PDB file of all heavy atoms in Angstrom:
ATOM      1  N   VAL A  40      29.432  -8.994  31.470  1.00  0.00           N
ATOM      2  CA  VAL A  40      30.038  -7.827  30.746  1.00  0.00           C
ATOM      3  C   VAL A  40      31.042  -7.202  31.732  1.00  0.00           C
ATOM      4  O   VAL A  40      30.835  -6.934  32.836  1.00  0.00           O
ATOM      5  CB  VAL A  40      29.049  -6.759  30.348  1.00  0.00           C
ATOM      6  CG1 VAL A  40      29.721  -5.457  29.857  1.00  0.00           C
ATOM      7  CG2 VAL A  40      28.114  -7.349  29.327  1.00  0.00           C
ATOM      8  N   GLU A  44      33.164  -1.720  31.179  1.00  0.00           N
ATOM      9  CA  GLU A  44      32.634  -1.854  29.740  1.00  0.00           C
ATOM     10  C   GLU A  44      31.191  -1.600  29.711  1.00  0.00           C
ATOM     11  O   GLU A  44      30.470  -2.113  30.593  1.00  0.00           O
ATOM     12  CB  GLU A  44      33.042  -3.222  29.224  1.00  0.00           C
ATOM     13  CG  GLU A  44      32.747  -3.318  27.700  1.00  0.00           C
ATOM     14  CD  GLU A  44      33.253  -4.622  27.096  1.00  0.00           C
ATOM     15  OE1 GLU A  44      34.213  -5.132  27.698  1.00  0.00           O
ATOM     16  OE2 GLU A  44      32.632  -5.100  26.120  1.00  0.00           O
ATOM     17  N   SER A  45      30.700  -0.981  28.719  1.00  0.00           N
ATOM     18  CA  SER A  45      29.237  -0.664  28.572  1.00  0.00           C
ATOM     19  C   SER A  45      28.698  -1.210  27.327  1.00  0.00           C
ATOM     20  O   SER A  45      29.322  -1.464  26.302  1.00  0.00           O
ATOM     21  CB  SER A  45      28.990   0.845  28.574  1.00  0.00           C
ATOM     22  OG  SER A  45      29.454   1.450  29.699  1.00  0.00           O
ATOM     23  N   VAL A  46      27.357  -1.506  27.345  1.00  0.00           N
ATOM     24  CA  VAL A  46      26.560  -1.848  26.217  1.00  0.00           C
ATOM     25  C   VAL A  46      25.567  -0.684  26.038  1.00  0.00           C
ATOM     26  O   VAL A  46      24.456  -0.851  26.630  1.00  0.00           O
ATOM     27  CB  VAL A  46      25.908  -3.258  26.394  1.00  0.00           C
ATOM     28  CG1 VAL A  46      25.174  -3.587  25.092  1.00  0.00           C
ATOM     29  CG2 VAL A  46      26.938  -4.296  26.676  1.00  0.00           C
ATOM     30  N   PRO A  47      25.913   0.405  25.487  1.00  0.00           N
ATOM     31  CA  PRO A  47      25.190   1.602  25.560  1.00  0.00           C
ATOM     32  C   PRO A  47      23.682   1.587  25.045  1.00  0.00           C
ATOM     33  O   PRO A  47      22.880   2.286  25.488  1.00  0.00           O
ATOM     34  CB  PRO A  47      25.923   2.612  24.787  1.00  0.00           C
ATOM     35  CG  PRO A  47      26.829   1.800  23.886  1.00  0.00           C
ATOM     36  CD  PRO A  47      27.130   0.579  24.646  1.00  0.00           C
ATOM     37  N   TYR A  48      23.496   0.574  24.058  1.00  0.00           N
ATOM     38  CA  TYR A  48      22.132   0.512  23.499  1.00  0.00           C
ATOM     39  C   TYR A  48      21.169  -0.330  24.216  1.00  0.00           C
ATOM     40  O   TYR A  48      19.986  -0.389  24.032  1.00  0.00           O
ATOM     41  CB  TYR A  48      22.232   0.020  22.100  1.00  0.00           C
ATOM     42  CG  TYR A  48      23.053  -1.204  21.925  1.00  0.00           C
ATOM     43  CD1 TYR A  48      22.479  -2.491  22.142  1.00  0.00           C
ATOM     44  CD2 TYR A  48      24.449  -1.147  21.565  1.00  0.00           C
ATOM     45  CE1 TYR A  48      23.217  -3.650  22.064  1.00  0.00           C
ATOM     46  CE2 TYR A  48      25.198  -2.316  21.439  1.00  0.00           C
ATOM     47  CZ  TYR A  48      24.649  -3.498  21.681  1.00  0.00           C
ATOM     48  OH  TYR A  48      25.422  -4.692  21.602  1.00  0.00           O
ATOM     49  N   GLN A  49      21.704  -1.072  25.243  1.00  0.00           N
ATOM     50  CA  GLN A  49      20.876  -1.998  25.990  1.00  0.00           C
ATOM     51  C   GLN A  49      20.101  -1.371  27.151  1.00  0.00           C
ATOM     52  O   GLN A  49      20.554  -0.506  27.884  1.00  0.00           O
ATOM     53  CB  GLN A  49      21.803  -3.029  26.686  1.00  0.00           C
ATOM     54  CG  GLN A  49      21.076  -4.043  27.538  1.00  0.00           C
ATOM     55  CD  GLN A  49      20.391  -5.195  26.697  1.00  0.00           C
ATOM     56  OE1 GLN A  49      21.006  -5.837  25.907  1.00  0.00           O
ATOM     57  NE2 GLN A  49      19.182  -5.479  27.105  1.00  0.00           N
ATOM     58  N   VAL A  50      18.778  -1.781  27.212  1.00  0.00           N
ATOM     59  CA  VAL A  50      17.957  -1.201  28.307  1.00  0.00           C
ATOM     60  C   VAL A  50      17.275  -2.459  29.058  1.00  0.00           C
ATOM     61  O   VAL A  50      17.002  -3.488  28.412  1.00  0.00           O
ATOM     62  CB  VAL A  50      16.862  -0.237  27.894  1.00  0.00           C
ATOM     63  CG1 VAL A  50      17.500   0.930  27.224  1.00  0.00           C
ATOM     64  CG2 VAL A  50      15.804  -0.902  27.013  1.00  0.00           C
ATOM     65  N   GLY A  94      21.890   2.603  30.690  1.00  0.00           N
ATOM     66  CA  GLY A  94      23.142   2.956  31.223  1.00  0.00           C
ATOM     67  C   GLY A  94      23.549   2.258  32.516  1.00  0.00           C
ATOM     68  O   GLY A  94      24.389   2.754  33.254  1.00  0.00           O
ATOM     69  N   ILE A  95      23.048   1.023  32.646  1.00  0.00           N
ATOM     70  CA  ILE A  95      23.451   0.185  33.803  1.00  0.00           C
ATOM     71  C   ILE A  95      24.119  -1.099  33.425  1.00  0.00           C
ATOM     72  O   ILE A  95      23.857  -1.596  32.347  1.00  0.00           O
ATOM     73  CB  ILE A  95      22.204  -0.059  34.691  1.00  0.00           C
ATOM     74  CG1 ILE A  95      21.105  -0.827  33.972  1.00  0.00           C
ATOM     75  CG2 ILE A  95      21.709   1.206  35.344  1.00  0.00           C
ATOM     76  CD1 ILE A  95      20.068  -1.304  34.851  1.00  0.00           C
ATOM     77  N   VAL A 139      28.877   6.648  25.796  1.00  0.00           N
ATOM     78  CA  VAL A 139      29.684   5.707  26.523  1.00  0.00           C
ATOM     79  C   VAL A 139      28.783   4.681  27.134  1.00  0.00           C
ATOM     80  O   VAL A 139      28.827   3.512  26.813  1.00  0.00           O
ATOM     81  CB  VAL A 139      30.460   6.476  27.696  1.00  0.00           C
ATOM     82  CG1 VAL A 139      31.254   5.493  28.511  1.00  0.00           C
ATOM     83  CG2 VAL A 139      31.422   7.450  27.010  1.00  0.00           C
ATOM     84  N   SER A 140      27.911   5.055  28.046  1.00  0.00           N
ATOM     85  CA  SER A 140      26.958   4.139  28.683  1.00  0.00           C
ATOM     86  C   SER A 140      25.597   4.204  28.130  1.00  0.00           C
ATOM     87  O   SER A 140      24.767   3.267  28.353  1.00  0.00           O
ATOM     88  CB  SER A 140      26.900   4.441  30.182  1.00  0.00           C
ATOM     89  OG  SER A 140      26.438   5.704  30.408  1.00  0.00           O
ATOM     90  N   THR A 161      23.048  -9.758  24.413  1.00  0.00           N
ATOM     91  CA  THR A 161      23.166  -9.248  25.750  1.00  0.00           C
ATOM     92  C   THR A 161      21.820  -9.285  26.514  1.00  0.00           C
ATOM     93  O   THR A 161      20.782  -9.106  25.911  1.00  0.00           O
ATOM     94  CB  THR A 161      23.790  -7.865  25.829  1.00  0.00           C
ATOM     95  OG1 THR A 161      23.106  -6.996  24.936  1.00  0.00           O
ATOM     96  CG2 THR A 161      25.332  -7.870  25.516  1.00  0.00           C
ATOM     97  N   LEU A 183      24.742  -7.749  33.736  1.00  0.00           N
ATOM     98  CA  LEU A 183      24.447  -7.917  32.381  1.00  0.00           C
ATOM     99  C   LEU A 183      25.393  -8.994  31.771  1.00  0.00           C
ATOM    100  O   LEU A 183      26.607  -8.967  31.938  1.00  0.00           O
ATOM    101  CB  LEU A 183      24.749  -6.587  31.621  1.00  0.00           C
ATOM    102  CG  LEU A 183      24.342  -6.543  30.164  1.00  0.00           C
ATOM    103  CD1 LEU A 183      22.897  -6.759  29.844  1.00  0.00           C
ATOM    104  CD2 LEU A 183      24.761  -5.214  29.515  1.00  0.00           C
ATOM    105  N   ARG A 185      26.668 -11.440  28.443  1.00  0.00           N
ATOM    106  CA  ARG A 185      26.888 -11.329  27.014  1.00  0.00           C
ATOM    107  C   ARG A 185      27.278 -12.769  26.497  1.00  0.00           C
ATOM    108  O   ARG A 185      28.062 -13.454  27.142  1.00  0.00           O
ATOM    109  CB  ARG A 185      27.993 -10.373  26.691  1.00  0.00           C
ATOM    110  CG  ARG A 185      28.285 -10.284  25.111  1.00  0.00           C
ATOM    111  CD  ARG A 185      29.042  -9.094  24.780  1.00  0.00           C
ATOM    112  NE  ARG A 185      30.252  -8.874  25.593  1.00  0.00           N
ATOM    113  CZ  ARG A 185      30.804  -7.690  25.841  1.00  0.00           C
ATOM    114  NH1 ARG A 185      30.277  -6.641  25.293  1.00  0.00           N
ATOM    115  NH2 ARG A 185      31.897  -7.611  26.633  1.00  0.00           N
ATOM    116  N   PRO A 226      18.602  -7.216  22.172  1.00  0.00           N
ATOM    117  CA  PRO A 226      19.188  -7.100  20.816  1.00  0.00           C
ATOM    118  C   PRO A 226      20.182  -8.223  20.522  1.00  0.00           C
ATOM    119  O   PRO A 226      21.122  -8.466  21.278  1.00  0.00           O
ATOM    120  CB  PRO A 226      19.846  -5.769  20.949  1.00  0.00           C
ATOM    121  CG  PRO A 226      20.233  -5.663  22.408  1.00  0.00           C
ATOM    122  CD  PRO A 226      19.204  -6.313  23.149  1.00  0.00           C
TER     123      PRO A 226
END
Side-chain angles (χ1 to χ4, degrees):
V40 170
E44 186 173 334
S45 297
V46 182
Y48 50 83
Q49 176 80 48
V50 301
I95 59 171
V139 177
S140 61
T161 46
L183 184 64
R185 178 164 53 206

